[in-house]
Amino acid sequence: MRAPISLRQDFLKKWVKGIQLCSSTKQNMSVLERKKAIKLWADIAMACTRNGRTRWSRAIIADASKQGDNKVLVGHLLAPECETLKKVSTESSVPMKIIRSKRILKRSCRARRLMMSTTRSNRSQVALAKSIATRMVKKRTLMLKSLVPGGESMDELSLIQEALDYIKSLRDQVVVMRTLAKARDAMIGK
């Protein structure tokens, strides 16, 4: 994994390049269009820093490429990385091997033994609690799938891994944007 500083520098370079490409092709943009373009290129630049290693980054790039105006611009931004993205996307089709911890297996065995030893009234309470917990987990999983780009097609384990990586990337994006805002304010003299 790369150092956060190099990721942030890479993000900043790609973001600025994307905004320059966009502003050179679209001369008269409204404030709302400019805001959308800045957000779009921030997302694309953030996804490009992952070189297609994550599903969320591939989903963002694919969504941006579907839009007619952005297809050419995304191609220009990704030109040096296209080979890497193609290579990684073909390699990522191999299913990940799930490794379970011995501690988790011991806990589940203990829980089964405990469930078998309880009385019938306790069993119904345990079953009710278990169904409520299952519904809550499903509801939260659906919410997380809607938040992570490309999350709709992920299983729970890969969804959690992708969500964690996406959160880290969003944090880096915020740090870079705050740094730019502070630098701008310092130049203005606030």
Side-chain angles (χ1 to χ4, degrees):
M1 187 167 169
R2 292 168 32 192
I5 292 175
S6 68
L7 280 173
R8 291 173 187 159
Q9 290 171 344
D10 193 25
F11 163 72
L12 181 61
K13 288 177 190 174
K14 291 175 191 235
W15 187 36
V16 169
K17 184 179 177 183
I19 291 173
Q20 288 172 343
L21 285 169
C22 184
S23 63
S24 66
T25 59
K26 299 176 183 177
Q27 299 299 327
N28 297 326
M29 292 185 354
S30 68
V31 175
L32 184 60
E33 289 173 332
R34 194 169 295 169
K35 176 186 168 188
K36 286 181 180 180
I38 289 170
K39 172 72 173 117
L40 173 71
W41 288 106
D43 289 343
I44 293 170
M46 183 176 55
C48 289
T49 60
R50 296 296 183 215
N51 295 330
R53 289 189 196 105
T54 58
R55 290 183 191 178
W56 66 262
S57 64
R58 291 190 300 266
I60 286 176
I61 292 169
D63 287 345
S65 297
K66 287 178 186 175
Q67 300 170 0
D69 299 343
N70 299 325
K71 191 172 190 173
V72 175
L73 299 174
V74 171
H76 283 297
L77 188 64
L78 294 175
E81 296 154 354
C82 281
E83 294 304 316
T84 308
L85 286 173
K86 288 177 187 173
K87 182 180 175 186
V88 171
S89 65
T90 57
E91 291 174 356
S92 65
S93 61
V94 178
M96 287 181 44
K97 192 176 189 181
I98 299 174
I99 300 172
R100 292 194 175 174
S101 169
K102 289 180 182 178
R103 185 181 296 165
I104 293 172
L105 290 174
K106 285 181 184 177
R107 283 183 193 165
S108 64
C109 289
R110 244 186 272 144
R112 271 190 235 125
R113 274 188 251 128
L114 181 65
M115 186 125 162
M116 296 304 235
S117 67
T118 58
T119 63
R120 284 191 178 194
S121 63
N122 285 343
R123 284 185 194 168
S124 64
Q125 290 175 350
V126 169
L128 178 64
K130 189 175 181 180
S131 69
I132 292 171
T134 302
R135 275 188 267 138
M136 288 175 62
V137 167
K138 284 183 181 181
K139 184 178 178 181
R140 290 179 180 170
T141 302
L142 287 174
M143 178 64 75
L144 188 58
K145 283 184 177 192
S146 69
L147 293 174
V148 176
E152 297 84 18
S153 62
M154 292 182 210
D155 62 289
E156 286 79 14
L157 179 65
S158 58
L159 177 67
I160 291 171
Q161 291 171 340
E162 293 285 323
L164 291 173
D165 188 67
Y166 187 56
I167 290 168
K168 288 177 189 175
S169 297
L170 288 173
R171 282 186 185 162
D172 287 341
Q173 186 180 18
V174 168
V175 168
V176 169
M177 290 180 171
R178 281 187 181 157
T179 305
L180 276 177
K182 286 179 185 177
R184 184 193 59 108
D185 289 346
M187 289 178 67
I188 292 174
K190 284 189 174 180

